[in-house]
Amino acid sequence: MSDAPSVRNRRPPGERREQILAVATEMFGNAGFRGVSLADIAARVGISQPGLIHHFRSKEDLLIATLERRDAESSGHIEEAFRDSSAIDALLSLCRYNMANPDSVRLYSVESAESLEPGHPAHEFFRSRYSRVRETVAGRVRRDQELGLLPFDIVPFEFAAGVIALMDGLQVQWLLDPSFDMSSVLSAYLERFRK
Amino acid sequence: MSDAPSVRNRRPPGERREQILAVATEMFGNAGFRGVSLADIAARVGISQPGLIHHFRSKEDLLIATLERRDAESSGHIEEAFRDSSAIDALLSLCRYNMANPDSVRLYSVESAESLEPGHPAHEFFRSRYSRVRETVAGRVRRDQELGLLPFDIVPFEFAAGVIALMDGLQVQWLLDPSFDMSSVLSAYLERFRK
DNA sequence: GTCTATACCCGGATAGAC
DNA sequence: GTCTATCCGGGTATAGAC
């Protein structure tokens, strides 16, 4: 009875928000934006559906916030890897990082496909993200070419588009079968490009 | 008035079924299984929702039939390519074939991700399909190794898992931007494996 | 910050007529 | 083979109290 709804159930604002985003990451990643209801998420958080919507204006807002949170979380690791390692080593490191974060990977695999539809709430998010990530990787490839780590017959844009595609595709096979070793396949492909 | 609902609206059984599957391919590929209603599909076909469900027991049945139809359509091209060409040439040919069939590609990209969830109607369909396709490609790689077309330091399973991942991932980038040239990126990667 | 209650719309599937 | 009518469950979002 002491757990009856009351003012005492309140949590510090930031903490509750973070908790919601973690639950949403897992649930949107499982069933997609359309496959989960706000009530489902609220139930797992332990509040009511209107209680949930108090923190995010709408379901769409919650999805975008969930996607942006993951990018913010991983950006530190990625920037460091691309600054301190060659393109190939940084990408292999990112792959291992991903294998330690299945919920985030699942969210991205599911939402990037669901958002192919022009009207989807995350459509523009992924469009611009692909452009940006391809440019980041291509830039690091150019630097490796100048440093003599990669041959000049590589077209940076093609290499970049290809690794991103490769990693995206491997993630799907890994999510379907967690014993599948993404990093060994990625390594076998990337080693073919070394000078 | 002559178009009022009547017995004259009937179509030969096979023809109507085929028409439904073509519409379903396009619509499931756009918005996913959960993003389209039977009423949406029925409206585009020009019949009512119960009229649609007369041809397929349930929405799940319709999805599976739609996925199987695409495999049946492309299997002729694929078998021929793998019989008459090297692994690399057959895969490049398949990529060009895919670029001529965007609706089918979209259906597969969207549904393979949506079906990652264990309870999804197409979950088992894609699980077993990935195993089967990987084995087909790996087998062709082994034959190319014996024929002296590919070096023996390639691990057939890794090569196979990687190309499939690469092609899957490229399709997403291509669907987001139709001017993106999948086949040139694929070619740049596969050429690195030639003996 | 969280609740209950509710307005309002949409989905899949079935019954039964033609 | 196709329709209309209907059942029933579930979805998002808002109103207003505490």
Side-chain angles (χ1 to χ4, degrees), chain A residues 30 35 113 117 127 134 153 159 161-163 165-166 170 173 176 189 192, chain B residues 30 34-35 113 117 127 134 153 159 161-163 165-166 170 173 176 189 192:
Chain A
N30 264 324
E117 189 195 8
R127 261 189 79 88
R134 275 193 303 239
D153 67 351
F159 178 92
V163 226
L166 187 47
L170 289 174
Q173 294 181 55
L176 276 174
Y189 273 70
R192 298 265 159 188
Chain B
N30 264 325
R34 290 191 238 258
E117 189 196 7
R127 260 188 78 88
R134 275 193 305 239
D153 67 351
F159 179 92
V163 226
L166 186 49
L170 289 173
Q173 293 181 57
L176 277 173
Y189 272 69
R192 297 265 160 190

PDB file of all heavy atoms in Angstrom, chain A residues 30 35 113 117 127 134 153 159 161-163 165-166 170 173 176 189 192, chain B residues 30 34-35 113 117 127 134 153 159 161-163 165-166 170 173 176 189 192:
ATOM      1  N   ASN A  30      13.273  -4.166 -30.814  1.00  0.00           N
ATOM      2  CA  ASN A  30      12.671  -5.486 -30.957  1.00  0.00           C
ATOM      3  C   ASN A  30      11.605  -5.517 -32.032  1.00  0.00           C
ATOM      4  O   ASN A  30      11.620  -6.370 -32.905  1.00  0.00           O
ATOM      5  CB  ASN A  30      12.027  -5.924 -29.631  1.00  0.00           C
ATOM      6  CG  ASN A  30      12.945  -6.803 -28.826  1.00  0.00           C
ATOM      7  OD1 ASN A  30      13.686  -7.609 -29.380  1.00  0.00           O
ATOM      8  ND2 ASN A  30      12.918  -6.645 -27.532  1.00  0.00           N
ATOM      9  N   GLY A  35       5.577  -1.397 -34.132  1.00  0.00           N
ATOM     10  CA  GLY A  35       5.255  -2.635 -33.439  1.00  0.00           C
ATOM     11  C   GLY A  35       5.133  -2.485 -31.932  1.00  0.00           C
ATOM     12  O   GLY A  35       4.803  -3.443 -31.239  1.00  0.00           O
ATOM     13  N   ALA A 113      15.820   0.307 -41.695  1.00  0.00           N
ATOM     14  CA  ALA A 113      14.996  -0.306 -42.733  1.00  0.00           C
ATOM     15  C   ALA A 113      13.568   0.225 -42.693  1.00  0.00           C
ATOM     16  O   ALA A 113      12.992   0.572 -43.725  1.00  0.00           O
ATOM     17  CB  ALA A 113      14.992  -1.831 -42.567  1.00  0.00           C
ATOM     18  N   GLU A 117      10.762   4.317 -45.967  1.00  0.00           N
ATOM     19  CA  GLU A 117       9.563   4.997 -46.463  1.00  0.00           C
ATOM     20  C   GLU A 117       9.713   6.509 -46.272  1.00  0.00           C
ATOM     21  O   GLU A 117      10.036   6.969 -45.175  1.00  0.00           O
ATOM     22  CB  GLU A 117       8.362   4.500 -45.660  1.00  0.00           C
ATOM     23  CG  GLU A 117       7.026   4.949 -46.179  1.00  0.00           C
ATOM     24  CD  GLU A 117       5.945   4.707 -45.097  1.00  0.00           C
ATOM     25  OE1 GLU A 117       6.325   4.342 -43.972  1.00  0.00           O
ATOM     26  OE2 GLU A 117       4.766   4.909 -45.397  1.00  0.00           O
ATOM     27  N   ARG A 127      18.749   9.359 -43.681  1.00  0.00           N
ATOM     28  CA  ARG A 127      19.317   9.886 -44.929  1.00  0.00           C
ATOM     29  C   ARG A 127      20.553  10.735 -44.647  1.00  0.00           C
ATOM     30  O   ARG A 127      21.621  10.538 -45.224  1.00  0.00           O
ATOM     31  CB  ARG A 127      18.283  10.746 -45.665  1.00  0.00           C
ATOM     32  CG  ARG A 127      17.559  10.055 -46.790  1.00  0.00           C
ATOM     33  CD  ARG A 127      16.726  11.073 -47.583  1.00  0.00           C
ATOM     34  NE  ARG A 127      17.538  11.846 -48.502  1.00  0.00           N
ATOM     35  CZ  ARG A 127      17.815  11.476 -49.748  1.00  0.00           C
ATOM     36  NH1 ARG A 127      17.328  10.358 -50.217  1.00  0.00           N
ATOM     37  NH2 ARG A 127      18.562  12.227 -50.517  1.00  0.00           N
ATOM     38  N   ARG A 134      29.419   8.327 -44.260  1.00  0.00           N
ATOM     39  CA  ARG A 134      30.247   8.009 -45.438  1.00  0.00           C
ATOM     40  C   ARG A 134      31.359   9.023 -45.593  1.00  0.00           C
ATOM     41  O   ARG A 134      32.506   8.666 -45.890  1.00  0.00           O
ATOM     42  CB  ARG A 134      29.384   7.987 -46.712  1.00  0.00           C
ATOM     43  CG  ARG A 134      28.690   6.661 -46.952  1.00  0.00           C
ATOM     44  CD  ARG A 134      28.121   6.572 -48.375  1.00  0.00           C
ATOM     45  NE  ARG A 134      27.201   7.659 -48.680  1.00  0.00           N
ATOM     46  CZ  ARG A 134      25.922   7.501 -49.030  1.00  0.00           C
ATOM     47  NH1 ARG A 134      25.397   6.300 -49.116  1.00  0.00           N
ATOM     48  NH2 ARG A 134      25.172   8.534 -49.304  1.00  0.00           N
ATOM     49  N   ASP A 153      44.844   3.326 -55.321  1.00  0.00           N
ATOM     50  CA  ASP A 153      43.820   2.851 -56.264  1.00  0.00           C
ATOM     51  C   ASP A 153      42.463   2.635 -55.574  1.00  0.00           C
ATOM     52  O   ASP A 153      41.490   2.243 -56.215  1.00  0.00           O
ATOM     53  CB  ASP A 153      44.286   1.582 -56.993  1.00  0.00           C
ATOM     54  CG  ASP A 153      44.426   0.387 -56.053  1.00  0.00           C
ATOM     55  OD1 ASP A 153      44.328   0.565 -54.823  1.00  0.00           O
ATOM     56  OD2 ASP A 153      44.638  -0.726 -56.564  1.00  0.00           O
ATOM     57  N   PHE A 159      35.003   2.855 -51.001  1.00  0.00           N
ATOM     58  CA  PHE A 159      35.430   2.086 -49.843  1.00  0.00           C
ATOM     59  C   PHE A 159      34.498   2.353 -48.660  1.00  0.00           C
ATOM     60  O   PHE A 159      34.025   1.435 -47.985  1.00  0.00           O
ATOM     61  CB  PHE A 159      36.872   2.448 -49.462  1.00  0.00           C
ATOM     62  CG  PHE A 159      37.384   1.730 -48.243  1.00  0.00           C
ATOM     63  CD1 PHE A 159      38.072   0.524 -48.362  1.00  0.00           C
ATOM     64  CD2 PHE A 159      37.190   2.248 -46.973  1.00  0.00           C
ATOM     65  CE1 PHE A 159      38.543  -0.148 -47.236  1.00  0.00           C
ATOM     66  CE2 PHE A 159      37.656   1.585 -45.839  1.00  0.00           C
ATOM     67  CZ  PHE A 159      38.330   0.384 -45.968  1.00  0.00           C
ATOM     68  N   ALA A 161      31.327   3.628 -48.568  1.00  0.00           N
ATOM     69  CA  ALA A 161      29.969   3.107 -48.756  1.00  0.00           C
ATOM     70  C   ALA A 161      29.959   1.593 -48.550  1.00  0.00           C
ATOM     71  O   ALA A 161      29.033   1.036 -47.951  1.00  0.00           O
ATOM     72  CB  ALA A 161      29.455   3.463 -50.147  1.00  0.00           C
ATOM     73  N   GLY A 162      30.999   0.933 -49.036  1.00  0.00           N
ATOM     74  CA  GLY A 162      31.080  -0.517 -48.912  1.00  0.00           C
ATOM     75  C   GLY A 162      31.224  -1.003 -47.477  1.00  0.00           C
ATOM     76  O   GLY A 162      30.504  -1.911 -47.067  1.00  0.00           O
ATOM     77  N   VAL A 163      32.124  -0.419 -46.699  1.00  0.00           N
ATOM     78  CA  VAL A 163      32.257  -0.908 -45.304  1.00  0.00           C
ATOM     79  C   VAL A 163      30.995  -0.691 -44.522  1.00  0.00           C
ATOM     80  O   VAL A 163      30.619  -1.512 -43.693  1.00  0.00           O
ATOM     81  CB  VAL A 163      33.292  -0.152 -44.418  1.00  0.00           C
ATOM     82  CG1 VAL A 163      34.152  -1.123 -43.671  1.00  0.00           C
ATOM     83  CG2 VAL A 163      33.981   0.917 -45.105  1.00  0.00           C
ATOM     84  N   ALA A 165      27.978  -0.577 -45.655  1.00  0.00           N
ATOM     85  CA  ALA A 165      27.034  -1.600 -46.099  1.00  0.00           C
ATOM     86  C   ALA A 165      27.385  -2.955 -45.485  1.00  0.00           C
ATOM     87  O   ALA A 165      26.511  -3.668 -44.968  1.00  0.00           O
ATOM     88  CB  ALA A 165      27.046  -1.695 -47.621  1.00  0.00           C
ATOM     89  N   LEU A 166      28.648  -3.298 -45.532  1.00  0.00           N
ATOM     90  CA  LEU A 166      29.108  -4.581 -44.997  1.00  0.00           C
ATOM     91  C   LEU A 166      28.765  -4.705 -43.519  1.00  0.00           C
ATOM     92  O   LEU A 166      28.210  -5.714 -43.065  1.00  0.00           O
ATOM     93  CB  LEU A 166      30.614  -4.667 -45.229  1.00  0.00           C
ATOM     94  CG  LEU A 166      31.394  -5.940 -44.942  1.00  0.00           C
ATOM     95  CD1 LEU A 166      30.728  -7.174 -45.517  1.00  0.00           C
ATOM     96  CD2 LEU A 166      32.816  -5.792 -45.479  1.00  0.00           C
ATOM     97  N   LEU A 170      26.146  -7.339 -41.914  1.00  0.00           N
ATOM     98  CA  LEU A 170      26.635  -8.332 -40.949  1.00  0.00           C
ATOM     99  C   LEU A 170      25.831  -8.268 -39.655  1.00  0.00           C
ATOM    100  O   LEU A 170      25.577  -9.289 -39.011  1.00  0.00           O
ATOM    101  CB  LEU A 170      28.124  -8.101 -40.652  1.00  0.00           C
ATOM    102  CG  LEU A 170      29.093  -8.443 -41.789  1.00  0.00           C
ATOM    103  CD1 LEU A 170      30.523  -8.021 -41.426  1.00  0.00           C
ATOM    104  CD2 LEU A 170      29.062  -9.940 -42.111  1.00  0.00           C
ATOM    105  N   GLN A 173      22.748 -10.446 -39.857  1.00  0.00           N
ATOM    106  CA  GLN A 173      23.049 -11.871 -39.712  1.00  0.00           C
ATOM    107  C   GLN A 173      23.443 -12.207 -38.275  1.00  0.00           C
ATOM    108  O   GLN A 173      23.116 -13.284 -37.756  1.00  0.00           O
ATOM    109  CB  GLN A 173      24.155 -12.280 -40.704  1.00  0.00           C
ATOM    110  CG  GLN A 173      23.697 -12.169 -42.154  1.00  0.00           C
ATOM    111  CD  GLN A 173      24.774 -12.588 -43.155  1.00  0.00           C
ATOM    112  OE1 GLN A 173      25.312 -13.685 -43.105  1.00  0.00           O
ATOM    113  NE2 GLN A 173      25.107 -11.694 -44.076  1.00  0.00           N
ATOM    114  N   LEU A 176      20.354 -12.273 -36.018  1.00  0.00           N
ATOM    115  CA  LEU A 176      19.576 -13.505 -36.213  1.00  0.00           C
ATOM    116  C   LEU A 176      20.268 -14.697 -35.573  1.00  0.00           C
ATOM    117  O   LEU A 176      19.635 -15.691 -35.239  1.00  0.00           O
ATOM    118  CB  LEU A 176      19.374 -13.780 -37.710  1.00  0.00           C
ATOM    119  CG  LEU A 176      18.223 -13.064 -38.391  1.00  0.00           C
ATOM    120  CD1 LEU A 176      18.253 -13.318 -39.892  1.00  0.00           C
ATOM    121  CD2 LEU A 176      16.885 -13.519 -37.821  1.00  0.00           C
ATOM    122  N   TYR A 189      37.506  -9.134 -45.189  1.00  0.00           N
ATOM    123  CA  TYR A 189      37.283  -8.210 -46.305  1.00  0.00           C
ATOM    124  C   TYR A 189      38.253  -7.038 -46.265  1.00  0.00           C
ATOM    125  O   TYR A 189      38.884  -6.686 -47.268  1.00  0.00           O
ATOM    126  CB  TYR A 189      35.829  -7.724 -46.307  1.00  0.00           C
ATOM    127  CG  TYR A 189      34.913  -8.650 -47.075  1.00  0.00           C
ATOM    128  CD1 TYR A 189      34.602  -9.919 -46.588  1.00  0.00           C
ATOM    129  CD2 TYR A 189      34.389  -8.287 -48.315  1.00  0.00           C
ATOM    130  CE1 TYR A 189      33.790 -10.788 -47.293  1.00  0.00           C
ATOM    131  CE2 TYR A 189      33.566  -9.150 -49.029  1.00  0.00           C
ATOM    132  CZ  TYR A 189      33.270 -10.396 -48.521  1.00  0.00           C
ATOM    133  OH  TYR A 189      32.475 -11.252 -49.233  1.00  0.00           O
ATOM    134  N   ARG A 192      42.003  -7.201 -47.354  1.00  0.00           N
ATOM    135  CA  ARG A 192      42.277  -7.232 -48.803  1.00  0.00           C
ATOM    136  C   ARG A 192      42.641  -5.857 -49.356  1.00  0.00           C
ATOM    137  O   ARG A 192      43.136  -5.749 -50.480  1.00  0.00           O
ATOM    138  CB  ARG A 192      41.045  -7.740 -49.566  1.00  0.00           C
ATOM    139  CG  ARG A 192      40.640  -9.151 -49.222  1.00  0.00           C
ATOM    140  CD  ARG A 192      41.245 -10.136 -50.215  1.00  0.00           C
ATOM    141  NE  ARG A 192      41.300 -11.488 -49.649  1.00  0.00           N
ATOM    142  CZ  ARG A 192      41.922 -12.506 -50.237  1.00  0.00           C
ATOM    143  NH1 ARG A 192      42.538 -12.344 -51.392  1.00  0.00           N
ATOM    144  NH2 ARG A 192      41.948 -13.694 -49.661  1.00  0.00           N
TER     145      ARG A 192
ATOM    146  N   ASN B  30       6.993  -0.768 -48.910  1.00  0.00           N
ATOM    147  CA  ASN B  30       7.019   0.651 -48.541  1.00  0.00           C
ATOM    148  C   ASN B  30       6.964   0.851 -47.043  1.00  0.00           C
ATOM    149  O   ASN B  30       7.771   1.579 -46.481  1.00  0.00           O
ATOM    150  CB  ASN B  30       5.831   1.391 -49.167  1.00  0.00           C
ATOM    151  CG  ASN B  30       6.199   2.078 -50.453  1.00  0.00           C
ATOM    152  OD1 ASN B  30       7.306   2.573 -50.593  1.00  0.00           O
ATOM    153  ND2 ASN B  30       5.279   2.098 -51.399  1.00  0.00           N
ATOM    154  N   ARG B  34       3.614  -4.214 -40.625  1.00  0.00           N
ATOM    155  CA  ARG B  34       2.781  -3.537 -39.627  1.00  0.00           C
ATOM    156  C   ARG B  34       2.300  -2.167 -40.094  1.00  0.00           C
ATOM    157  O   ARG B  34       1.410  -1.595 -39.475  1.00  0.00           O
ATOM    158  CB  ARG B  34       3.577  -3.347 -38.342  1.00  0.00           C
ATOM    159  CG  ARG B  34       3.839  -4.635 -37.614  1.00  0.00           C
ATOM    160  CD  ARG B  34       4.396  -4.329 -36.225  1.00  0.00           C
ATOM    161  NE  ARG B  34       5.694  -4.943 -36.046  1.00  0.00           N
ATOM    162  CZ  ARG B  34       5.888  -6.068 -35.359  1.00  0.00           C
ATOM    163  NH1 ARG B  34       4.879  -6.678 -34.817  1.00  0.00           N
ATOM    164  NH2 ARG B  34       7.103  -6.569 -35.239  1.00  0.00           N
ATOM    165  N   GLY B  35       2.894  -1.655 -41.149  1.00  0.00           N
ATOM    166  CA  GLY B  35       2.573  -0.303 -41.586  1.00  0.00           C
ATOM    167  C   GLY B  35       1.461  -0.255 -42.615  1.00  0.00           C
ATOM    168  O   GLY B  35       1.036   0.823 -43.019  1.00  0.00           O
ATOM    169  N   ALA B 113      14.623  -6.853 -41.877  1.00  0.00           N
ATOM    170  CA  ALA B 113      14.875  -6.139 -40.621  1.00  0.00           C
ATOM    171  C   ALA B 113      13.680  -6.252 -39.679  1.00  0.00           C
ATOM    172  O   ALA B 113      13.840  -6.529 -38.488  1.00  0.00           O
ATOM    173  CB  ALA B 113      15.174  -4.669 -40.898  1.00  0.00           C
ATOM    174  N   GLU B 117      12.684  -9.742 -34.972  1.00  0.00           N
ATOM    175  CA  GLU B 117      11.971 -10.129 -33.753  1.00  0.00           C
ATOM    176  C   GLU B 117      11.531 -11.592 -33.845  1.00  0.00           C
ATOM    177  O   GLU B 117      10.929 -12.007 -34.842  1.00  0.00           O
ATOM    178  CB  GLU B 117      10.740  -9.231 -33.620  1.00  0.00           C
ATOM    179  CG  GLU B 117      10.000  -9.351 -32.315  1.00  0.00           C
ATOM    180  CD  GLU B 117       8.600  -8.717 -32.451  1.00  0.00           C
ATOM    181  OE1 GLU B 117       8.240  -8.341 -33.579  1.00  0.00           O
ATOM    182  OE2 GLU B 117       7.907  -8.620 -31.444  1.00  0.00           O
ATOM    183  N   ARG B 127      15.521 -16.532 -41.356  1.00  0.00           N
ATOM    184  CA  ARG B 127      16.587 -17.309 -40.723  1.00  0.00           C
ATOM    185  C   ARG B 127      17.050 -18.438 -41.650  1.00  0.00           C
ATOM    186  O   ARG B 127      18.225 -18.588 -41.937  1.00  0.00           O
ATOM    187  CB  ARG B 127      16.091 -17.930 -39.418  1.00  0.00           C
ATOM    188  CG  ARG B 127      16.495 -17.182 -38.175  1.00  0.00           C
ATOM    189  CD  ARG B 127      16.120 -18.000 -36.937  1.00  0.00           C
ATOM    190  NE  ARG B 127      17.055 -19.065 -36.685  1.00  0.00           N
ATOM    191  CZ  ARG B 127      18.161 -18.934 -35.964  1.00  0.00           C
ATOM    192  NH1 ARG B 127      18.443 -17.781 -35.415  1.00  0.00           N
ATOM    193  NH2 ARG B 127      18.968 -19.947 -35.782  1.00  0.00           N
ATOM    194  N   ARG B 134      23.767 -18.510 -47.924  1.00  0.00           N
ATOM    195  CA  ARG B 134      25.200 -18.563 -47.603  1.00  0.00           C
ATOM    196  C   ARG B 134      25.814 -19.860 -48.106  1.00  0.00           C
ATOM    197  O   ARG B 134      26.911 -19.867 -48.664  1.00  0.00           O
ATOM    198  CB  ARG B 134      25.410 -18.444 -46.083  1.00  0.00           C
ATOM    199  CG  ARG B 134      25.449 -17.004 -45.598  1.00  0.00           C
ATOM    200  CD  ARG B 134      25.976 -16.908 -44.170  1.00  0.00           C
ATOM    201  NE  ARG B 134      25.230 -17.735 -43.233  1.00  0.00           N
ATOM    202  CZ  ARG B 134      24.578 -17.267 -42.142  1.00  0.00           C
ATOM    203  NH1 ARG B 134      24.597 -15.976 -41.865  1.00  0.00           N
ATOM    204  NH2 ARG B 134      23.941 -18.083 -41.338  1.00  0.00           N
ATOM    205  N   ASP B 153      43.240 -19.080 -50.075  1.00  0.00           N
ATOM    206  CA  ASP B 153      43.249 -18.445 -48.747  1.00  0.00           C
ATOM    207  C   ASP B 153      41.913 -17.779 -48.415  1.00  0.00           C
ATOM    208  O   ASP B 153      41.744 -17.204 -47.346  1.00  0.00           O
ATOM    209  CB  ASP B 153      44.408 -17.432 -48.633  1.00  0.00           C
ATOM    210  CG  ASP B 153      44.229 -16.226 -49.552  1.00  0.00           C
ATOM    211  OD1 ASP B 153      43.311 -16.244 -50.409  1.00  0.00           O
ATOM    212  OD2 ASP B 153      45.005 -15.262 -49.428  1.00  0.00           O
ATOM    213  N   PHE B 159      33.592 -15.512 -47.012  1.00  0.00           N
ATOM    214  CA  PHE B 159      33.346 -14.766 -48.248  1.00  0.00           C
ATOM    215  C   PHE B 159      31.843 -14.655 -48.496  1.00  0.00           C
ATOM    216  O   PHE B 159      31.319 -13.582 -48.809  1.00  0.00           O
ATOM    217  CB  PHE B 159      34.025 -15.470 -49.430  1.00  0.00           C
ATOM    218  CG  PHE B 159      33.800 -14.799 -50.748  1.00  0.00           C
ATOM    219  CD1 PHE B 159      34.694 -13.845 -51.225  1.00  0.00           C
ATOM    220  CD2 PHE B 159      32.682 -15.102 -51.525  1.00  0.00           C
ATOM    221  CE1 PHE B 159      34.485 -13.215 -52.459  1.00  0.00           C
ATOM    222  CE2 PHE B 159      32.465 -14.474 -52.752  1.00  0.00           C
ATOM    223  CZ  PHE B 159      33.371 -13.533 -53.213  1.00  0.00           C
ATOM    224  N   ALA B 161      29.178 -15.005 -46.372  1.00  0.00           N
ATOM    225  CA  ALA B 161      28.479 -14.154 -45.409  1.00  0.00           C
ATOM    226  C   ALA B 161      28.750 -12.681 -45.716  1.00  0.00           C
ATOM    227  O   ALA B 161      27.855 -11.837 -45.633  1.00  0.00           O
ATOM    228  CB  ALA B 161      28.914 -14.497 -43.985  1.00  0.00           C
ATOM    229  N   GLY B 162      29.981 -12.376 -46.091  1.00  0.00           N
ATOM    230  CA  GLY B 162      30.355 -10.998 -46.382  1.00  0.00           C
ATOM    231  C   GLY B 162      29.669 -10.425 -47.612  1.00  0.00           C
ATOM    232  O   GLY B 162      29.137  -9.313 -47.560  1.00  0.00           O
ATOM    233  N   VAL B 163      29.657 -11.150 -48.732  1.00  0.00           N
ATOM    234  CA  VAL B 163      28.976 -10.590 -49.921  1.00  0.00           C
ATOM    235  C   VAL B 163      27.516 -10.375 -49.673  1.00  0.00           C
ATOM    236  O   VAL B 163      26.946  -9.398 -50.139  1.00  0.00           O
ATOM    237  CB  VAL B 163      28.929 -11.505 -51.180  1.00  0.00           C
ATOM    238  CG1 VAL B 163      29.305 -10.733 -52.413  1.00  0.00           C
ATOM    239  CG2 VAL B 163      29.578 -12.783 -50.996  1.00  0.00           C
ATOM    240  N   ALA B 165      26.047  -9.750 -46.852  1.00  0.00           N
ATOM    241  CA  ALA B 165      25.950  -8.556 -46.006  1.00  0.00           C
ATOM    242  C   ALA B 165      26.171  -7.290 -46.828  1.00  0.00           C
ATOM    243  O   ALA B 165      25.410  -6.324 -46.739  1.00  0.00           O
ATOM    244  CB  ALA B 165      26.973  -8.635 -44.877  1.00  0.00           C
ATOM    245  N   LEU B 166      27.198  -7.324 -47.650  1.00  0.00           N
ATOM    246  CA  LEU B 166      27.533  -6.166 -48.483  1.00  0.00           C
ATOM    247  C   LEU B 166      26.365  -5.805 -49.400  1.00  0.00           C
ATOM    248  O   LEU B 166      25.953  -4.638 -49.482  1.00  0.00           O
ATOM    249  CB  LEU B 166      28.789  -6.521 -49.285  1.00  0.00           C
ATOM    250  CG  LEU B 166      29.490  -5.488 -50.159  1.00  0.00           C
ATOM    251  CD1 LEU B 166      29.730  -4.182 -49.423  1.00  0.00           C
ATOM    252  CD2 LEU B 166      30.816  -6.069 -50.662  1.00  0.00           C
ATOM    253  N   LEU B 170      24.183  -2.398 -49.184  1.00  0.00           N
ATOM    254  CA  LEU B 170      24.184  -1.486 -50.328  1.00  0.00           C
ATOM    255  C   LEU B 170      22.754  -1.189 -50.775  1.00  0.00           C
ATOM    256  O   LEU B 170      22.444  -0.070 -51.211  1.00  0.00           O
ATOM    257  CB  LEU B 170      24.983  -2.079 -51.490  1.00  0.00           C
ATOM    258  CG  LEU B 170      26.505  -2.133 -51.294  1.00  0.00           C
ATOM    259  CD1 LEU B 170      27.175  -2.902 -52.450  1.00  0.00           C
ATOM    260  CD2 LEU B 170      27.103  -0.727 -51.196  1.00  0.00           C
ATOM    261  N   GLN B 173      21.287   1.724 -48.881  1.00  0.00           N
ATOM    262  CA  GLN B 173      21.798   3.025 -49.326  1.00  0.00           C
ATOM    263  C   GLN B 173      21.240   3.382 -50.710  1.00  0.00           C
ATOM    264  O   GLN B 173      20.955   4.546 -50.993  1.00  0.00           O
ATOM    265  CB  GLN B 173      23.333   3.003 -49.337  1.00  0.00           C
ATOM    266  CG  GLN B 173      23.914   2.881 -47.934  1.00  0.00           C
ATOM    267  CD  GLN B 173      25.438   2.874 -47.911  1.00  0.00           C
ATOM    268  OE1 GLN B 173      26.084   3.797 -48.402  1.00  0.00           O
ATOM    269  NE2 GLN B 173      26.015   1.822 -47.340  1.00  0.00           N
ATOM    270  N   LEU B 176      17.591   4.518 -50.407  1.00  0.00           N
ATOM    271  CA  LEU B 176      17.509   5.886 -49.893  1.00  0.00           C
ATOM    272  C   LEU B 176      17.913   6.906 -50.948  1.00  0.00           C
ATOM    273  O   LEU B 176      17.522   8.068 -50.880  1.00  0.00           O
ATOM    274  CB  LEU B 176      18.399   6.047 -48.660  1.00  0.00           C
ATOM    275  CG  LEU B 176      17.816   5.609 -47.325  1.00  0.00           C
ATOM    276  CD1 LEU B 176      18.876   5.666 -46.231  1.00  0.00           C
ATOM    277  CD2 LEU B 176      16.622   6.478 -46.930  1.00  0.00           C
ATOM    278  N   TYR B 189      34.886  -4.129 -54.265  1.00  0.00           N
ATOM    279  CA  TYR B 189      35.196  -5.067 -53.175  1.00  0.00           C
ATOM    280  C   TYR B 189      35.528  -6.460 -53.715  1.00  0.00           C
ATOM    281  O   TYR B 189      36.532  -7.065 -53.319  1.00  0.00           O
ATOM    282  CB  TYR B 189      34.027  -5.135 -52.181  1.00  0.00           C
ATOM    283  CG  TYR B 189      34.130  -4.082 -51.100  1.00  0.00           C
ATOM    284  CD1 TYR B 189      33.954  -2.740 -51.404  1.00  0.00           C
ATOM    285  CD2 TYR B 189      34.448  -4.423 -49.782  1.00  0.00           C
ATOM    286  CE1 TYR B 189      34.069  -1.760 -50.426  1.00  0.00           C
ATOM    287  CE2 TYR B 189      34.562  -3.448 -48.797  1.00  0.00           C
ATOM    288  CZ  TYR B 189      34.375  -2.121 -49.120  1.00  0.00           C
ATOM    289  OH  TYR B 189      34.503  -1.160 -48.148  1.00  0.00           O
ATOM    290  N   ARG B 192      38.972  -7.426 -55.309  1.00  0.00           N
ATOM    291  CA  ARG B 192      40.110  -7.619 -54.397  1.00  0.00           C
ATOM    292  C   ARG B 192      40.345  -9.092 -54.070  1.00  0.00           C
ATOM    293  O   ARG B 192      41.390  -9.444 -53.532  1.00  0.00           O
ATOM    294  CB  ARG B 192      39.863  -6.873 -53.084  1.00  0.00           C
ATOM    295  CG  ARG B 192      39.757  -5.375 -53.242  1.00  0.00           C
ATOM    296  CD  ARG B 192      41.091  -4.702 -52.977  1.00  0.00           C
ATOM    297  NE  ARG B 192      41.125  -3.370 -53.575  1.00  0.00           N
ATOM    298  CZ  ARG B 192      42.230  -2.637 -53.667  1.00  0.00           C
ATOM    299  NH1 ARG B 192      43.384  -3.087 -53.200  1.00  0.00           N
ATOM    300  NH2 ARG B 192      42.201  -1.449 -54.237  1.00  0.00           N
TER     301      ARG B 192
END
